[in-house]
Amino acid sequence: MLNTIPSQEELAALVGEPLYDVWKKLCALIEETYDMDRLWGKGGKAWDYEYKYRRGGKTLCALYARENRVGFMIILGKDERAKFEADRENYAKEIQARYDGAKTYHDGKWIMFEPVDTSLFPDFLKLLNIKRRPNRK
């Protein structure tokens, strides 16, 4: 866990205003679709901050921040991968390429995106829906 949660100003200064806008819009999209616990953490070796969406001990997704970069990670388990693969042609080529290039671990395929705008958000939502049905509407 993190001792200090970054303020909006600190996060905006870290990632830059355009990416901070992407971060805020992605959070808003997730939060209007899912009622989840939100946890700040250290971003590991590669990132300064991690912002996880969890419920009942299961992580839906996580956002990451570091200088001039924003990350969005979703981990698809075996059954979830099968659902994606059955529908993969309905995803943007960039989503398919990231999926294909993602490393598969014992607990699933860890797919990291680095959005620079909102263009992939509809596909992000489809990926989230594979993991969990929306519980807010």
Side-chain angles (χ1 to χ4, degrees), residues 36-37 53-61 80 131-132:
M36 306 293 283
D37 297 324
Y53 286 89
R54 287 177 65 92
R55 179 130 191 190
K58 289 191 166 207
T59 299
L60 176 69
C61 63
E80 296 158 346
K131 283 197 68 78
R132 184 180 197 118

Side-chain angles (χ1 to χ4, degrees):
M1 261 331 271
L2 204 60
N3 295 340
T4 57
I5 294 170
S7 68
Q8 291 184 0
E9 293 78 17
E10 288 168 328
L11 202 54
L14 179 68
V15 302
E17 282 297 336
L19 285 177
Y20 182 59
D21 190 53
V22 172
W23 173 287
K24 287 189 305 188
K25 287 177 177 166
L26 185 51
C27 288
L29 179 71
I30 295 165
E31 290 162 20
E32 70 192 25
T33 311
Y34 294 93
D35 180 18
M36 306 293 283
D37 297 324
R38 300 185 291 270
L39 305 165
W40 281 100
K42 290 188 165 104
K45 291 183 185 124
W47 300 90
D48 293 346
Y49 297 107
E50 174 187 69
Y51 189 57
K52 267 189 192 172
Y53 286 89
R54 287 177 65 92
R55 179 130 191 190
K58 289 191 166 207
T59 299
L60 176 69
C61 63
L63 276 69
Y64 294 87
R66 73 175 186 228
E67 192 173 350
N68 300 317
R69 307 242 325 249
V70 165
F72 169 73
M73 180 180 281
I74 186 161
I75 300 170
L76 297 181
K78 188 177 177 191
D79 294 343
E80 296 158 346
R81 290 199 312 271
K83 286 179 187 173
F84 172 84
E85 287 166 12
D87 193 38
R88 70 177 286 140
E89 69 280 355
N90 293 312
Y91 287 84
K93 293 281 180 246
E94 186 178 336
I95 300 282
Q96 294 178 38
R98 286 282 176 161
Y99 177 87
D100 293 341
K103 190 161 170 55
T104 303
Y105 295 93
H106 68 93
D107 58 348
K109 192 178 256 290
W110 293 40
I111 312 162
M112 175 66 84
F113 300 95
E114 291 190 27
V116 293
D117 57 34
T118 60
S119 63
L120 294 175
F121 283 14
D123 282 358
F124 289 173
L125 207 48
K126 286 197 297 189
L127 289 170
L128 292 172
N129 287 341
I130 288 175
K131 283 197 68 78
R132 184 180 197 118
R133 286 203 326 273
N135 58 2
R136 200 175 252 179
K137 275 297 172 207

